[in-house]
Amino acid sequence: SIFTGTFATFIAVQHIWQVKTIWDSTTHFRFIEDGLYAQGVDKLGHVYGSYVMANFVKEGLYVSGFSENSAAIWSAVLGLSYSTYVEIMDGFGTNWGFSPSDWYCDATGAAFFLAQHYVPYLQNFTPKFIYYPGEWYGYHTRKEAKIFFDDYSGQNFSLSINIHNMLPDKAKKYWPDW
């Protein structure tokens, strides 16, 4: 009950916030492919967003009593469902549209999350995100953004790799475990 209430509140607050910012004007539903938008940083954001949402949901479901397998499957489904909802809302936005490539990236993030559950070796690879507003380091943004996840100039994505864990046992003593 606590997790469900927290999750529902998050979704409601997020919806209200986005209706007041990026979805503040609407039109008929439409598809708009934006494959080159923001030099691909937007696509990384979609992969990362559904991956992080699935992780968040998994922890809540697991703590709520779901088995590890059920929590992993349902969290991937719910993570992708939330990302799909956002993409559908974009489809009604005056300045946006449902972008198939955005949705494919959403599906990739949820699929990678689920693959990490079933293929433990993939747990050696962790997507990371850092955001620093351009003003913090004297850089002007390329395009004005109403909210931080549309400020692509300040976003950095990386992939953390646990090399120590992947080394043969004999080589591990030569590589720091941190």
Side-chain angles (χ1 to χ4, degrees), residues 36-68:
L36 301 176
Y37 175 66
Q39 299 176 337
V41 177
D42 175 60
K43 303 303 175 233
L44 293 173
H46 282 272
V47 171
Y48 186 75
S50 61
Y51 175 82
V52 167
M53 179 60 79
N55 265 300
F56 169 75
V57 172
K58 180 188 180 243
E59 292 302 317
L61 293 176
Y62 187 67
V63 169
S64 299
F66 281 69
S67 71
E68 196 167 330

Side-chain angles (χ1 to χ4, degrees), residues 23 29-38 40 42-43 46-47 80 83-93 95-107 152:
W23 301 325
F29 183 84
R30 60 206 172 136
F31 289 92
I32 297 177
E33 181 52 64
D34 64 353
L36 301 176
Y37 175 66
D42 175 60
K43 303 303 175 233
H46 282 272
V47 171
L80 181 57
S83 297
T84 301
Y85 145 77
V86 170
E87 201 56 44
I88 289 169
M89 291 298 292
D90 280 355
F92 288 103
N95 300 320
W96 313 100
F98 184 105
S99 170
S101 62
D102 284 356
W103 189 85
Y104 298 145
C105 289
D106 293 333
Y152 299 108

Side-chain angles (χ1 to χ4, degrees), residues 19 21 34 36 42 50 56 63 78 84 89 92 102-103 115-116 120 123 139-140 151 154 156 173-174 177-178:
V19 164
T21 56
D34 64 353
L36 301 176
D42 175 60
S50 61
F56 169 75
V63 169
L78 291 171
T84 301
M89 291 298 292
F92 288 103
D102 284 356
W103 189 85
Q116 283 183 314
Q123 293 174 11
Y139 185 78
H140 298 290
D151 179 11
N156 292 288
K173 64 183 177 183
Y174 300 106
D177 59 1
W178 47 267

